[in-house]
Amino acid sequence: MKRKIAAGALVLALAGGSVACGDDGSTGAGTQARGRITIWYSNNAEEVAWGKQMVAAWNAEHADQKVTA
């Protein structure tokens, strides 16, 4: 259950940049935004291991939007 919640949070953090930045979608700026993506791991060993795997998978698929953790 914790992994599903953490996965959802990571997906929202990575994909929901326009919402987090307050873009209401009217300008389309959220779809063109690029920049650094930095996440922080929890201190739970299982979540850290999972997070590292997710960051590696994201970076492998999105060369133009690297995530650092």
Short mmCIF file of all heavy atoms in Angstrom, two decimals:
data_model
loop_
_atom_site.label_atom_id
_atom_site.label_comp_id
_atom_site.label_asym_id
_atom_site.label_seq_id
_atom_site.Cartn_x
_atom_site.Cartn_y
_atom_site.Cartn_z
N MET A 1 0.82 -1.19 0.00
CA MET A 1 0.00 0.00 0.00
C MET A 1 0.86 1.25 0.00
O MET A 1 0.58 2.19 -0.72
CB MET A 1 -0.92 -0.04 1.23
CG MET A 1 -1.83 1.15 1.33
SD MET A 1 -3.00 1.11 -0.02
CE MET A 1 -4.08 2.40 0.44
N LYS A 2 1.92 1.25 0.82
CA LYS A 2 2.80 2.42 0.88
C LYS A 2 3.45 2.68 -0.47
O LYS A 2 3.63 3.81 -0.86
CB LYS A 2 3.88 2.23 1.94
CG LYS A 2 3.38 2.36 3.34
CD LYS A 2 4.53 2.24 4.32
CE LYS A 2 4.04 2.32 5.75
NZ LYS A 2 5.14 2.21 6.70
N ARG A 3 3.80 1.60 -1.19
CA ARG A 3 4.43 1.76 -2.50
C ARG A 3 3.47 2.40 -3.50
O ARG A 3 3.86 3.20 -4.31
CB ARG A 3 4.93 0.44 -3.04
CG ARG A 3 6.18 -0.03 -2.33
CD ARG A 3 6.70 -1.28 -2.94
NE ARG A 3 7.84 -1.73 -2.18
CZ ARG A 3 8.97 -2.11 -2.72
NH1 ARG A 3 9.11 -2.13 -4.01
NH2 ARG A 3 9.97 -2.50 -1.97
N LYS A 4 2.20 2.03 -3.42
CA LYS A 4 1.22 2.62 -4.33
C LYS A 4 1.06 4.10 -4.05
O LYS A 4 0.97 4.91 -4.97
CB LYS A 4 -0.13 1.92 -4.20
CG LYS A 4 -0.13 0.52 -4.78
CD LYS A 4 -1.49 -0.11 -4.65
CE LYS A 4 -1.47 -1.53 -5.16
NZ LYS A 4 -2.77 -2.17 -5.02
N ILE A 5 1.05 4.47 -2.79
CA ILE A 5 0.93 5.88 -2.42
C ILE A 5 2.17 6.63 -2.86
O ILE A 5 2.09 7.71 -3.45
CB ILE A 5 0.69 6.04 -0.92
CG1 ILE A 5 -0.69 5.49 -0.55
CG2 ILE A 5 0.81 7.49 -0.48
CD1 ILE A 5 -0.95 5.37 0.92
N ALA A 6 3.34 6.05 -2.60
CA ALA A 6 4.59 6.70 -2.99
C ALA A 6 4.69 6.81 -4.51
O ALA A 6 5.13 7.82 -5.04
CB ALA A 6 5.79 5.94 -2.43
N ALA A 7 4.26 5.76 -5.22
CA ALA A 7 4.28 5.80 -6.69
C ALA A 7 3.37 6.90 -7.20
O ALA A 7 3.74 7.65 -8.11
CB ALA A 7 3.86 4.45 -7.25
N GLY A 8 2.20 7.02 -6.62
CA GLY A 8 1.28 8.07 -7.02
C GLY A 8 1.86 9.44 -6.76
O GLY A 8 1.73 10.36 -7.57
N ALA A 9 2.50 9.60 -5.63
CA ALA A 9 3.10 10.89 -5.29
C ALA A 9 4.22 11.24 -6.26
O ALA A 9 4.34 12.39 -6.68
CB ALA A 9 3.63 10.86 -3.85
N LEU A 10 5.04 10.27 -6.64
CA LEU A 10 6.12 10.53 -7.58
C LEU A 10 5.57 10.88 -8.95
O LEU A 10 6.04 11.82 -9.58
CB LEU A 10 7.05 9.31 -7.68
CG LEU A 10 8.25 9.48 -8.61
CD1 LEU A 10 9.14 10.63 -8.13
CD2 LEU A 10 9.05 8.21 -8.68
N VAL A 11 4.55 10.16 -9.38
CA VAL A 11 3.95 10.46 -10.68
C VAL A 11 3.38 11.86 -10.69
O VAL A 11 3.58 12.63 -11.62
CB VAL A 11 2.87 9.42 -11.05
CG1 VAL A 11 2.05 9.87 -12.24
CG2 VAL A 11 3.52 8.07 -11.32
N LEU A 12 2.69 12.22 -9.63
CA LEU A 12 2.14 13.57 -9.54
C LEU A 12 3.24 14.62 -9.50
O LEU A 12 3.13 15.67 -10.13
CB LEU A 12 1.25 13.71 -8.32
CG LEU A 12 -0.08 12.96 -8.38
CD1 LEU A 12 -0.81 13.07 -7.06
CD2 LEU A 12 -0.94 13.48 -9.51
N ALA A 13 4.30 14.33 -8.78
CA ALA A 13 5.40 15.28 -8.68
C ALA A 13 6.08 15.48 -10.03
O ALA A 13 6.45 16.59 -10.40
CB ALA A 13 6.42 14.82 -7.64
N LEU A 14 6.24 14.40 -10.78
CA LEU A 14 6.93 14.49 -12.06
C LEU A 14 6.03 15.01 -13.18
O LEU A 14 6.45 15.79 -14.00
CB LEU A 14 7.50 13.12 -12.45
CG LEU A 14 8.58 12.59 -11.53
CD1 LEU A 14 8.97 11.19 -11.96
CD2 LEU A 14 9.79 13.50 -11.52
N ALA A 15 4.79 14.57 -13.19
CA ALA A 15 3.89 14.92 -14.29
C ALA A 15 3.06 16.15 -14.00
O ALA A 15 2.56 16.79 -14.91
CB ALA A 15 2.98 13.74 -14.60
N GLY A 16 2.89 16.51 -12.75
CA GLY A 16 1.99 17.60 -12.42
C GLY A 16 2.66 18.93 -12.22
O GLY A 16 2.18 19.75 -11.46
N GLY A 17 3.76 19.17 -12.90
CA GLY A 17 4.49 20.41 -12.73
C GLY A 17 3.66 21.65 -12.97
O GLY A 17 3.79 22.64 -12.27
N SER A 18 2.75 21.60 -13.96
CA SER A 18 1.96 22.80 -14.24
C SER A 18 0.97 23.08 -13.13
O SER A 18 0.69 24.23 -12.82
CB SER A 18 1.23 22.66 -15.58
OG SER A 18 0.31 21.60 -15.53
N VAL A 19 0.46 22.03 -12.50
CA VAL A 19 -0.46 22.23 -11.38
C VAL A 19 0.29 22.77 -10.18
O VAL A 19 -0.14 23.71 -9.53
CB VAL A 19 -1.18 20.91 -11.02
CG1 VAL A 19 -2.02 21.08 -9.78
CG2 VAL A 19 -2.05 20.46 -12.19
N ALA A 20 1.45 22.19 -9.90
CA ALA A 20 2.23 22.61 -8.75
C ALA A 20 2.72 24.05 -8.88
O ALA A 20 2.91 24.74 -7.90
CB ALA A 20 3.42 21.67 -8.55
N CYS A 21 2.89 24.50 -10.11
CA CYS A 21 3.38 25.86 -10.34
C CYS A 21 2.26 26.87 -10.46
O CYS A 21 2.50 28.04 -10.71
CB CYS A 21 4.25 25.91 -11.59
SG CYS A 21 5.76 24.93 -11.41
N GLY A 22 1.03 26.42 -10.37
CA GLY A 22 -0.09 27.33 -10.42
C GLY A 22 -0.57 27.67 -11.82
O GLY A 22 -1.35 28.59 -12.01
N ASP A 23 -0.14 26.94 -12.82
CA ASP A 23 -0.60 27.18 -14.18
C ASP A 23 -2.00 26.62 -14.32
O ASP A 23 -2.24 25.44 -14.11
CB ASP A 23 0.35 26.49 -15.17
CG ASP A 23 -0.06 26.68 -16.62
OD1 ASP A 23 -0.92 27.56 -16.88
OD2 ASP A 23 0.48 25.97 -17.47
N ASP A 24 -2.95 27.47 -14.69
CA ASP A 24 -4.33 27.02 -14.83
C ASP A 24 -4.59 26.39 -16.19
O ASP A 24 -5.70 25.99 -16.50
CB ASP A 24 -5.31 28.15 -14.57
CG ASP A 24 -5.22 29.27 -15.60
OD1 ASP A 24 -4.41 29.15 -16.54
OD2 ASP A 24 -5.95 30.26 -15.45
N GLY A 25 -3.56 26.29 -17.02
CA GLY A 25 -3.69 25.66 -18.33
C GLY A 25 -4.14 26.60 -19.42
O GLY A 25 -4.14 26.24 -20.59
N SER A 26 -4.51 27.83 -19.10
CA SER A 26 -5.03 28.74 -20.11
C SER A 26 -3.95 29.23 -21.07
O SER A 26 -4.25 29.57 -22.20
CB SER A 26 -5.72 29.93 -19.45
OG SER A 26 -4.80 30.67 -18.68
N THR A 27 -2.70 29.27 -20.64
CA THR A 27 -1.63 29.76 -21.51
C THR A 27 -0.89 28.65 -22.22
O THR A 27 -0.16 28.90 -23.16
CB THR A 27 -0.60 30.57 -20.70
OG1 THR A 27 0.02 29.69 -19.75
CG2 THR A 27 -1.23 31.75 -19.99
N GLY A 28 -1.05 27.43 -21.76
CA GLY A 28 -0.32 26.32 -22.35
C GLY A 28 1.11 26.24 -21.89
O GLY A 28 1.88 25.41 -22.36
N ALA A 29 1.54 27.12 -21.00
CA ALA A 29 2.93 27.16 -20.57
C ALA A 29 3.35 25.88 -19.86
O ALA A 29 4.49 25.47 -19.96
CB ALA A 29 3.16 28.36 -19.65
N GLY A 30 2.45 25.23 -19.16
CA GLY A 30 2.79 24.03 -18.41
C GLY A 30 3.23 22.89 -19.29
O GLY A 30 4.02 22.07 -18.89
N THR A 31 2.74 22.84 -20.52
CA THR A 31 3.12 21.75 -21.41
C THR A 31 4.48 21.97 -22.05
O THR A 31 5.05 21.05 -22.58
CB THR A 31 2.06 21.55 -22.52
OG1 THR A 31 1.97 22.76 -23.28
CG2 THR A 31 0.72 21.19 -21.93
N GLN A 32 5.00 23.18 -22.00
CA GLN A 32 6.28 23.49 -22.60
C GLN A 32 7.39 23.66 -21.56
O GLN A 32 8.53 23.89 -21.92
CB GLN A 32 6.16 24.78 -23.42
CG GLN A 32 5.14 24.69 -24.53
CD GLN A 32 5.46 23.60 -25.55
OE1 GLN A 32 6.61 23.41 -25.91
NE2 GLN A 32 4.46 22.86 -25.97
N ALA A 33 7.07 23.60 -20.30
CA ALA A 33 8.04 23.86 -19.24
C ALA A 33 9.13 22.79 -19.23
O ALA A 33 8.87 21.62 -19.40
CB ALA A 33 7.35 23.90 -17.88
N ARG A 34 10.35 23.24 -19.04
CA ARG A 34 11.50 22.35 -18.93
C ARG A 34 12.38 22.87 -17.82
O ARG A 34 12.41 24.06 -17.53
CB ARG A 34 12.31 22.32 -20.23
CG ARG A 34 11.59 21.71 -21.41
CD ARG A 34 11.55 20.19 -21.25
NE ARG A 34 11.03 19.54 -22.42
CZ ARG A 34 9.77 19.14 -22.54
NH1 ARG A 34 8.92 19.37 -21.60
NH2 ARG A 34 9.38 18.51 -23.62
N GLY A 35 13.13 22.00 -17.22
CA GLY A 35 14.05 22.43 -16.19
C GLY A 35 14.43 21.28 -15.29
O GLY A 35 14.11 20.13 -15.56
N ARG A 36 15.09 21.61 -14.23
CA ARG A 36 15.54 20.60 -13.28
C ARG A 36 14.36 19.97 -12.55
O ARG A 36 13.39 20.65 -12.23
CB ARG A 36 16.45 21.22 -12.23
CG ARG A 36 17.74 21.70 -12.79
CD ARG A 36 18.58 22.25 -11.68
NE ARG A 36 19.79 22.83 -12.24
CZ ARG A 36 20.66 23.51 -11.54
NH1 ARG A 36 20.46 23.71 -10.25
NH2 ARG A 36 21.73 23.99 -12.11
N ILE A 37 14.49 18.68 -12.30
CA ILE A 37 13.52 17.96 -11.49
C ILE A 37 14.31 17.34 -10.35
O ILE A 37 15.19 16.51 -10.57
CB ILE A 37 12.80 16.85 -12.29
CG1 ILE A 37 12.12 17.44 -13.53
CG2 ILE A 37 11.80 16.13 -11.39
CD1 ILE A 37 11.58 16.40 -14.48
N THR A 38 14.05 17.77 -9.15
CA THR A 38 14.74 17.25 -7.98
C THR A 38 13.72 16.68 -7.02
O THR A 38 12.72 17.32 -6.73
CB THR A 38 15.54 18.36 -7.26
OG1 THR A 38 16.44 18.96 -8.20
CG2 THR A 38 16.33 17.80 -6.10
N ILE A 39 13.96 15.46 -6.57
CA ILE A 39 13.09 14.84 -5.58
C ILE A 39 13.91 14.47 -4.35
O ILE A 39 15.14 14.41 -4.41
CB ILE A 39 12.37 13.58 -6.14
CG1 ILE A 39 13.40 12.48 -6.48
CG2 ILE A 39 11.51 13.92 -7.34
CD1 ILE A 39 12.79 11.13 -6.69
N TRP A 40 13.23 14.26 -3.25
CA TRP A 40 13.89 13.85 -2.02
C TRP A 40 13.30 12.51 -1.59
O TRP A 40 12.10 12.31 -1.65
CB TRP A 40 13.65 14.88 -0.90
CG TRP A 40 14.36 16.15 -1.17
CD1 TRP A 40 15.59 16.52 -0.71
CD2 TRP A 40 13.90 17.25 -1.96
NE1 TRP A 40 15.92 17.77 -1.18
CE2 TRP A 40 14.90 18.23 -1.94
CE3 TRP A 40 12.73 17.50 -2.69
CZ2 TRP A 40 14.78 19.44 -2.62
CZ3 TRP A 40 12.62 18.69 -3.37
CH2 TRP A 40 13.63 19.65 -3.32
N TYR A 41 14.20 11.62 -1.18
CA TYR A 41 13.76 10.32 -0.68
C TYR A 41 13.35 10.43 0.77
O TYR A 41 13.82 11.30 1.50
CB TYR A 41 14.91 9.30 -0.74
CG TYR A 41 15.46 9.01 -2.11
CD1 TYR A 41 16.82 9.04 -2.34
CD2 TYR A 41 14.63 8.68 -3.17
CE1 TYR A 41 17.35 8.75 -3.59
CE2 TYR A 41 15.14 8.39 -4.42
CZ TYR A 41 16.51 8.42 -4.62
OH TYR A 41 17.03 8.14 -5.84
N SER A 42 12.52 9.49 1.19
CA SER A 42 12.24 9.37 2.62
C SER A 42 13.45 8.70 3.27
O SER A 42 14.42 8.37 2.60
CB SER A 42 10.99 8.52 2.84
OG SER A 42 11.28 7.15 2.64
N ASN A 43 13.37 8.43 4.54
CA ASN A 43 14.47 7.73 5.20
C ASN A 43 14.16 6.25 5.38
O ASN A 43 14.87 5.56 6.09
CB ASN A 43 14.81 8.39 6.54
CG ASN A 43 13.64 8.41 7.49
OD1 ASN A 43 12.55 7.97 7.16
ND2 ASN A 43 13.86 8.93 8.68
N ASN A 44 13.12 5.76 4.74
CA ASN A 44 12.76 4.36 4.78
C ASN A 44 13.56 3.61 3.72
O ASN A 44 13.52 3.96 2.54
CB ASN A 44 11.25 4.23 4.51
CG ASN A 44 10.78 2.80 4.48
OD1 ASN A 44 11.23 2.02 3.66
ND2 ASN A 44 9.86 2.48 5.37
N ALA A 45 14.30 2.59 4.12
CA ALA A 45 15.21 1.88 3.21
C ALA A 45 14.48 1.31 1.99
O ALA A 45 15.00 1.38 0.87
CB ALA A 45 15.93 0.76 3.96
N GLU A 46 13.29 0.76 2.18
CA GLU A 46 12.54 0.21 1.05
C GLU A 46 12.11 1.31 0.08
O GLU A 46 12.17 1.14 -1.13
CB GLU A 46 11.32 -0.55 1.54
CG GLU A 46 11.64 -1.85 2.23
CD GLU A 46 10.40 -2.56 2.73
OE1 GLU A 46 9.27 -2.12 2.45
OE2 GLU A 46 10.56 -3.59 3.40
N GLU A 47 11.69 2.44 0.61
CA GLU A 47 11.26 3.55 -0.25
C GLU A 47 12.45 4.17 -0.98
O GLU A 47 12.32 4.58 -2.13
CB GLU A 47 10.53 4.60 0.56
CG GLU A 47 9.17 4.12 1.03
CD GLU A 47 8.44 5.17 1.86
OE1 GLU A 47 8.80 6.36 1.80
OE2 GLU A 47 7.50 4.79 2.55
N VAL A 48 13.61 4.21 -0.34
CA VAL A 48 14.81 4.73 -0.99
C VAL A 48 15.18 3.83 -2.16
O VAL A 48 15.46 4.30 -3.27
CB VAL A 48 15.98 4.85 0.01
CG1 VAL A 48 17.28 5.16 -0.72
CG2 VAL A 48 15.68 5.93 1.04
N ALA A 49 15.17 2.51 -1.95
CA ALA A 49 15.50 1.57 -3.02
C ALA A 49 14.50 1.71 -4.17
O ALA A 49 14.90 1.75 -5.35
CB ALA A 49 15.50 0.14 -2.48
N TRP A 50 13.23 1.81 -3.84
CA TRP A 50 12.20 1.97 -4.87
C TRP A 50 12.39 3.30 -5.60
O TRP A 50 12.30 3.36 -6.83
CB TRP A 50 10.81 1.93 -4.23
CG TRP A 50 9.71 2.20 -5.20
CD1 TRP A 50 9.11 1.32 -6.03
CD2 TRP A 50 9.10 3.47 -5.45
NE1 TRP A 50 8.17 1.96 -6.78
CE2 TRP A 50 8.14 3.28 -6.44
CE3 TRP A 50 9.29 4.75 -4.93
CZ2 TRP A 50 7.36 4.32 -6.92
CZ3 TRP A 50 8.50 5.78 -5.41
CH2 TRP A 50 7.55 5.56 -6.39
N GLY A 51 12.67 4.36 -4.87
CA GLY A 51 12.87 5.67 -5.47
C GLY A 51 14.04 5.69 -6.43
O GLY A 51 13.97 6.29 -7.51
N LYS A 52 15.13 5.04 -6.06
CA LYS A 52 16.29 4.97 -6.94
C LYS A 52 15.95 4.26 -8.24
O LYS A 52 16.38 4.67 -9.32
CB LYS A 52 17.46 4.29 -6.23
CG LYS A 52 18.09 5.16 -5.17
CD LYS A 52 19.24 4.46 -4.49
CE LYS A 52 19.87 5.37 -3.44
NZ LYS A 52 21.01 4.72 -2.78
N GLN A 53 15.15 3.18 -8.14
CA GLN A 53 14.72 2.47 -9.34
C GLN A 53 13.84 3.35 -10.21
O GLN A 53 13.97 3.36 -11.44
CB GLN A 53 13.97 1.19 -8.97
CG GLN A 53 14.84 0.14 -8.34
CD GLN A 53 14.03 -1.05 -7.84
OE1 GLN A 53 12.80 -1.04 -7.85
NE2 GLN A 53 14.72 -2.08 -7.39
N MET A 54 12.94 4.10 -9.60
CA MET A 54 12.05 4.98 -10.35
C MET A 54 12.82 6.10 -11.04
O MET A 54 12.54 6.44 -12.19
CB MET A 54 10.97 5.57 -9.44
CG MET A 54 9.96 4.55 -8.94
SD MET A 54 9.11 3.66 -10.27
CE MET A 54 8.23 4.99 -11.06
N VAL A 55 13.78 6.68 -10.35
CA VAL A 55 14.60 7.75 -10.94
C VAL A 55 15.38 7.19 -12.13
O VAL A 55 15.43 7.82 -13.20
CB VAL A 55 15.54 8.38 -9.89
CG1 VAL A 55 16.60 9.24 -10.55
CG2 VAL A 55 14.72 9.19 -8.89
N ALA A 56 15.97 6.02 -11.98
CA ALA A 56 16.73 5.41 -13.07
C ALA A 56 15.83 5.13 -14.27
O ALA A 56 16.20 5.39 -15.42
CB ALA A 56 17.42 4.14 -12.60
N ALA A 57 14.63 4.62 -14.01
CA ALA A 57 13.69 4.32 -15.10
C ALA A 57 13.25 5.61 -15.79
O ALA A 57 13.19 5.67 -17.03
CB ALA A 57 12.48 3.57 -14.54
N TRP A 58 12.95 6.64 -15.02
CA TRP A 58 12.54 7.92 -15.60
C TRP A 58 13.66 8.48 -16.48
O TRP A 58 13.43 8.88 -17.62
CB TRP A 58 12.17 8.92 -14.51
CG TRP A 58 11.88 10.28 -15.07
CD1 TRP A 58 12.77 11.28 -15.31
CD2 TRP A 58 10.61 10.78 -15.51
NE1 TRP A 58 12.15 12.37 -15.84
CE2 TRP A 58 10.82 12.09 -15.98
CE3 TRP A 58 9.32 10.25 -15.54
CZ2 TRP A 58 9.78 12.87 -16.48
CZ3 TRP A 58 8.29 11.04 -16.03
CH2 TRP A 58 8.53 12.32 -16.50
N ASN A 59 14.87 8.51 -15.95
CA ASN A 59 16.00 9.08 -16.67
C ASN A 59 16.30 8.31 -17.96
O ASN A 59 16.72 8.89 -18.95
CB ASN A 59 17.23 9.17 -15.79
CG ASN A 59 17.09 10.27 -14.76
OD1 ASN A 59 16.31 11.19 -14.90
ND2 ASN A 59 17.87 10.16 -13.69
N ALA A 60 16.07 6.99 -17.93
CA ALA A 60 16.30 6.17 -19.12
C ALA A 60 15.31 6.52 -20.23
O ALA A 60 15.64 6.46 -21.41
CB ALA A 60 16.21 4.69 -18.77
N GLU A 61 14.09 6.92 -19.86
CA GLU A 61 13.05 7.21 -20.84
C GLU A 61 12.93 8.68 -21.19
O GLU A 61 12.28 9.03 -22.18
CB GLU A 61 11.71 6.70 -20.32
CG GLU A 61 11.63 5.20 -20.23
CD GLU A 61 10.27 4.71 -19.76
OE1 GLU A 61 9.27 5.43 -19.96
OE2 GLU A 61 10.21 3.62 -19.19
N HIS A 62 13.50 9.57 -20.39
CA HIS A 62 13.34 11.02 -20.59
C HIS A 62 14.71 11.71 -20.54
O HIS A 62 15.02 12.40 -19.57
CB HIS A 62 12.41 11.60 -19.53
CG HIS A 62 11.07 10.97 -19.51
ND1 HIS A 62 10.78 9.87 -18.74
CD2 HIS A 62 9.93 11.27 -20.19
CE1 HIS A 62 9.52 9.52 -18.93
NE2 HIS A 62 8.99 10.35 -19.81
N ALA A 63 15.47 11.53 -21.59
CA ALA A 63 16.84 12.08 -21.61
C ALA A 63 16.86 13.60 -21.48
O ALA A 63 17.82 14.17 -20.98
CB ALA A 63 17.54 11.66 -22.89
N ASP A 64 15.78 14.28 -21.87
CA ASP A 64 15.75 15.74 -21.83
C ASP A 64 15.20 16.27 -20.51
O ASP A 64 15.16 17.49 -20.31
CB ASP A 64 14.92 16.29 -22.99
CG ASP A 64 13.47 15.85 -22.94
OD1 ASP A 64 13.18 14.75 -22.40
OD2 ASP A 64 12.61 16.60 -23.43
N GLN A 65 14.79 15.40 -19.61
CA GLN A 65 14.25 15.82 -18.32
C GLN A 65 14.80 14.93 -17.20
O GLN A 65 14.06 14.14 -16.62
CB GLN A 65 12.73 15.76 -18.32
CG GLN A 65 12.08 16.72 -19.27
CD GLN A 65 10.57 16.60 -19.23
OE1 GLN A 65 10.03 15.51 -19.13
NE2 GLN A 65 9.90 17.72 -19.28
N LYS A 66 16.06 15.05 -16.93
CA LYS A 66 16.70 14.21 -15.92
C LYS A 66 16.22 14.56 -14.52
O LYS A 66 16.06 15.72 -14.18
CB LYS A 66 18.22 14.34 -15.98
CG LYS A 66 18.82 13.83 -17.26
CD LYS A 66 18.77 12.33 -17.33
CE LYS A 66 19.47 11.84 -18.58
NZ LYS A 66 19.40 10.40 -18.72
N VAL A 67 16.03 13.54 -13.72
CA VAL A 67 15.65 13.68 -12.33
C VAL A 67 16.88 13.45 -11.48
O VAL A 67 17.65 12.52 -11.73
CB VAL A 67 14.56 12.67 -11.94
CG1 VAL A 67 14.26 12.71 -10.46
CG2 VAL A 67 13.29 12.92 -12.74
N THR A 68 17.08 14.29 -10.46
CA THR A 68 18.12 14.04 -9.48
C THR A 68 17.43 13.87 -8.13
O THR A 68 16.37 14.42 -7.89
CB THR A 68 19.13 15.21 -9.39
OG1 THR A 68 18.43 16.41 -9.11
CG2 THR A 68 19.90 15.36 -10.68
N ALA A 69 18.06 13.09 -7.30
CA ALA A 69 17.45 12.80 -5.99
C ALA A 69 18.48 12.92 -4.90
O ALA A 69 19.67 12.83 -5.14
CB ALA A 69 16.86 11.38 -6.01
#
